[in-house]
Amino acid sequence: KGVATQCVQHLIQVAKNNLDLTTLHAKVLENNPASRRVLEKHGFVWHKPLAEPVCIQGEYFFGQKFRLSLVSGHHDWLPSVPGPASDD
């Protein structure tokens, strides 16, 4: 697995298990489709475009905002994240 995939998996688990968060938000620049795919693979859904372009080294980029519900059934329009596997 790639580094980004491992980071997103770890972030989701920490947010759910240690921080008691209900939603995660992520921003992706439009010139980075690989990052968008990593988020979507982990259940993030498109939320809205960023309000302002981002300036990086003098170039402006538009972006998108994604979010992920961490509470099963909390938002019907957001997918839930499966919990850790049990030994049952």
Side-chain angles (χ1 to χ4, degrees):
K1 294 181 185 179
V3 172
T5 296
Q6 292 177 3
C7 289
V8 170
Q9 289 172 342
H10 183 71
L11 176 67
I12 291 169
Q13 290 305 313
V14 169
K16 286 176 63 176
N17 300 330
N18 301 93
L19 301 176
D20 199 31
L21 298 177
T22 59
T23 306
L24 289 178
H25 295 262
K27 298 174 184 176
V28 177
L29 298 180
E30 288 182 348
N31 66 341
N32 193 346
S35 290
R36 179 183 178 137
R37 284 191 299 274
V38 168
L39 293 176
E40 290 172 337
K41 183 170 110 175
H42 289 89
F44 281 79
V45 295
W46 183 86
H47 177 56
K48 63 183 179 181
L50 295 180
E52 299 287 330
V54 177
C55 182
I56 299 174
Q57 295 181 345
E59 288 191 63
Y60 287 87
F61 299 94
F62 289 93
Q64 304 293 320
K65 189 171 184 180
F66 288 78
R67 65 183 181 184
L68 173 70
S69 174
L70 300 174
V71 180
S72 212
H74 186 258
H75 298 291
D76 293 336
W77 53 275
L78 289 174
S80 61
V81 175
S86 67
D87 294 331
D88 299 348

